[in-house]
């Protein structure tokens, strides 16, 4: 890693002081000074509803364009245009013709050809295009660290015409960015989030930790408390997206909180859930020997000495300077637990990420036996 722990923790504390200013937080409750007409391509998945709700709270007018197949019961009060991002499909983008908006928010673009179609169609119909990309669209993005800024080059593909999103999701997002920029030069805002967490997240990658710790007992905690983690609360991301429209901010932005110790995340889970769980910090080498892998069995974490650790050390400084606010981790943990607790019991009974309780117990048993021998 290029930055040491002390530098990252220092940056985290400094950024918190900037981001949590009471004046800015209270301003978020007020109506915007100018009402915008916003077209939303998507809007009913994970990030979409949070962004739509925030835009509405600011007094903006929102139109949704999607296939009408995902959470169609959301926002019955809004205008909804049913169509398809792919112009080759039935109806396609025809519902967007002969209409005008102030801005468009695109959370559903994954294929350059499809983003090209929407951005070209809307080039003369909107003033600003906000494209939700990803932080992994960078070349060798897992390196992160001091080179983890918006100046890092995009990843490239041998076949830039491929539409295999499952295989080339990250690089294709970069090509989607280029498509929007070509259609609307100087009027595009590229939002590049890290791992998005919080209420409505169906992956459970972050949710695993507050839920597992709330259940109590012996918990396997990976590595050391000083290893770093990083993410973005979906509500902070949503607010920043809307503010870029209100303030006519264009350009490229990494959307991540400053890296902070993984131990702080788990301590927050303990505090918020009022759990009596006991954390057992198991070294990375021992976990590897017992087939416990990051991003398969344990999420939000990487061994600080491993090549993958850089993926959790990106800089969001440019976004912070442009007005990104980062809420305390306790708020993210609480909101996630509250949301998860509102789901049907059948859904709560099966986390979609993280180790099974059986595997966790087996590895901890081996770890405790190992400790007795040394």
């Amino acid at each position: 890693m290029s930055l040491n722990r002390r530098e990252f923790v220092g940056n985290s504390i400094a950024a918190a002081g900037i981001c949590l200013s009471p004046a800015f937080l209270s301003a978020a409750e007020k109506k915007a000074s100018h009402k915008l007409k916003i077209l939303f391509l998507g809007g009913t998945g994970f990030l979409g509803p949070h962004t739509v709700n925030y835009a509405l709270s600011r007094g903006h007018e929102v139109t949704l364009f999607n296939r009408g197949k995902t959470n169609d019961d959301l926002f019955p009060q809004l205008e909804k245009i049913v169509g398809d991002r792919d112009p080759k499909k039935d109806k396609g983008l025809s519902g967007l013709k002969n209409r005008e908006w102030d801005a468009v928010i695109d959370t559903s673009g994954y294929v350059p050809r499809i983003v090209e179609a929407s951005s070209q169609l809307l080039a003369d119909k909107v003033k600003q295009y906000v494209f939700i990309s990803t932080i992994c669209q960078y070349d060798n993005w897992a390196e992160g660290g001091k080179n983890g800024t918006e100046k890092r080059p995009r990843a490239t593909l041998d076949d830039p015409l491929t539409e295999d999103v499952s295989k080339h999701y990250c690089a294709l997002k970069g090509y989607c960015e280029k498509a929007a920029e070509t259609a609307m030069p100087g009027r595009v805002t590229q939002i590049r989030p890290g791992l998005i967490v919080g209420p409505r997240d169906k992956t459970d990658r972050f949710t695993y930790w507050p839920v597992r710790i709330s259940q109590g007992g012996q918990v396997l905690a990976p590595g050391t408390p000083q290893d770093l983690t990083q993410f973005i609360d979906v509500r902070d991301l949503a607010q920043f997206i809307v503010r870029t429209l209100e303030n006519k901010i264009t350009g490229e932005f990494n959307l991540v909180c400053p890296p902070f110790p993984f131990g702080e995340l788990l301590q927050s889970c303990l505090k918020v859930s009022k759990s009596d769980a006991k954390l057992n910090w198991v070294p990375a080498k021992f976990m590897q020997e017992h087939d416990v892998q990051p991003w398969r069995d344990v999420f939000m974490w990487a061994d600080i000495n491993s090549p993958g650790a850089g993926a959790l050390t990106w800089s969001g400084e440019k976004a912070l300077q442009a007005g990104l606010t980062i809420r305390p981790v306790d708020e993210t943990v609480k909101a996630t637990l509250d949301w998860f607790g509102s789901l049907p019991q059948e859904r709560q009974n099966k986390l979609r990420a993280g180790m099974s309780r059986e595997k966790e117990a087996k590895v901890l048993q081996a770890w405790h036996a190992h400790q007795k021998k040394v």
Side-chain angles (χ1 to χ4, degrees):
M1 285 185 55
S2 349
L3 290 180
N4 61 39
R5 287 194 190 99
R6 185 181 299 276
E7 289 173 317
F8 272 121
V9 173
N11 289 346
S12 177
I13 294 171
I18 295 171
C19 299
L20 299 177
S21 66
F24 194 97
L25 289 179
S26 61
E29 300 172 2
K30 302 175 183 177
K31 298 293 184 182
S33 59
H34 179 66
K35 182 178 180 179
L36 297 172
K37 292 178 62 178
I38 301 172
L39 171 65
F40 213 114
L41 303 181
T44 57
F46 172 27
L47 171 60
H50 290 283
T51 311
V52 171
N53 277 322
Y54 185 70
L56 294 175
S57 75
R58 296 283 290 168
H60 301 306
E61 178 183 328
V62 178
T63 299
L64 301 181
F65 175 87
N66 52 52
R67 296 177 298 171
K69 295 182 177 180
T70 302
N71 300 320
D72 192 41
D73 58 320
L74 291 177
F75 308 115
Q77 78 278 27
L78 299 185
E79 178 190 15
K80 299 178 181 180
I81 302 174
V82 177
D84 199 296
R85 294 293 307 272
D86 191 337
K88 295 180 180 180
K89 298 290 181 66
D90 184 40
K91 290 187 178 181
L93 299 167
S94 61
L96 301 181
K97 294 180 179 179
N98 304 316
R99 294 288 303 274
E100 291 187 359
W101 291 270
D102 293 303
V104 58
I105 299 174
D106 184 350
T107 62
S108 58
Y110 305 99
V111 175
R113 172 181 63 82
I114 292 175
V115 173
E116 178 182 52
S118 60
S119 56
Q120 286 185 349
L121 175 66
L122 295 167
D124 296 328
K125 309 296 183 183
V126 300
K127 300 181 182 71
Q128 186 175 349
Y129 195 109
V130 176
F131 180 72
I132 311 305
S133 184
T134 172
I135 208 161
C136 74
Q137 62 87 50
Y138 291 104
D139 183 44
N140 297 321
W141 75 279
E143 292 181 2
K146 284 184 176 178
N147 295 321
T149 70
E150 289 81 0
K151 294 181 180 179
R152 192 180 187 94
R154 296 180 174 113
T156 58
L157 291 168
D158 292 335
D159 178 14
L161 297 180
T162 180
E163 297 189 359
D164 188 345
V165 178
S166 62
K167 186 176 181 181
H168 300 295
Y169 168 82
C170 294
L172 282 174
K173 279 288 194 175
Y175 283 90
C176 288
E177 289 188 7
K178 290 181 181 179
E181 290 169 357
T182 300
M184 300 177 62
R187 293 187 286 147
V188 179
T189 309
Q190 309 286 10
I191 305 292
R192 299 164 179 167
L195 189 67
I196 307 173
V197 307
R200 298 186 66 89
D201 177 14
K202 295 180 180 180
T203 70
D204 291 348
R205 292 174 296 187
F206 174 90
T207 305
Y208 170 84
W209 291 111
V211 170
R212 173 63 192 92
I213 288 175
S214 73
Q215 295 169 345
Q218 300 289 327
V219 175
L220 188 154
T224 74
Q226 290 74 40
D227 293 340
L228 297 172
T229 192
Q230 183 179 54
F231 49 82
I232 183 71
D233 187 299
V234 65
R235 297 163 297 170
D236 294 332
L237 173 56
Q239 290 185 16
F240 184 79
I241 291 169
V242 175
R243 290 303 178 89
T244 64
L245 298 181
E246 294 176 351
N247 297 308
K248 298 180 175 60
I249 298 172
T250 57
E252 304 82 25
F253 297 92
N254 298 333
L255 266 289
V256 285
C257 72
F260 68 99
F262 191 77
E264 290 184 13
L265 171 60
L266 299 197
Q267 287 299 322
S268 174
C269 294
L270 284 167
K271 180 176 69 173
V272 172
S273 66
K274 299 179 181 179
S275 172
D276 61 357
K278 176 175 174 53
L279 303 181
N280 296 267
W281 293 97
V282 179
K285 183 179 179 182
F286 189 88
M287 289 197 300
Q288 185 176 12
E289 292 170 352
H290 289 77
D291 193 32
V292 178
Q293 301 294 329
W295 303 103
R296 188 197 70 186
D297 301 298
V298 286
F299 289 82
M300 314 297 304
W301 170 88
D303 176 12
I304 201 167
N305 297 311
S306 72
L312 299 170
T313 62
W314 279 82
S315 170
E317 184 61 27
K318 184 179 178 182
L320 292 170
Q321 295 299 325
L324 170 66
T325 59
I326 302 294
R327 67 193 65 217
V329 65
D330 287 1
E331 289 188 17
T332 302
V333 169
K334 183 179 186 307
T336 301
L337 279 173
D338 289 347
W339 163 75
F340 194 77
S342 71
L343 299 178
Q345 192 61 50
E346 182 180 2
R347 169 71 172 87
Q348 293 186 51
N349 290 340
K350 190 173 183 180
L351 283 162
R352 295 171 176 171
M355 284 179 292
S356 67
R357 295 294 288 271
E358 292 74 19
K359 181 171 185 177
E360 179 187 36
K362 183 178 179 180
V363 176
L364 284 177
Q365 183 180 21
W367 171 239
H368 293 151
H370 171 79
Q371 286 184 301
K372 290 180 181 179
K373 293 179 182 178
V374 296

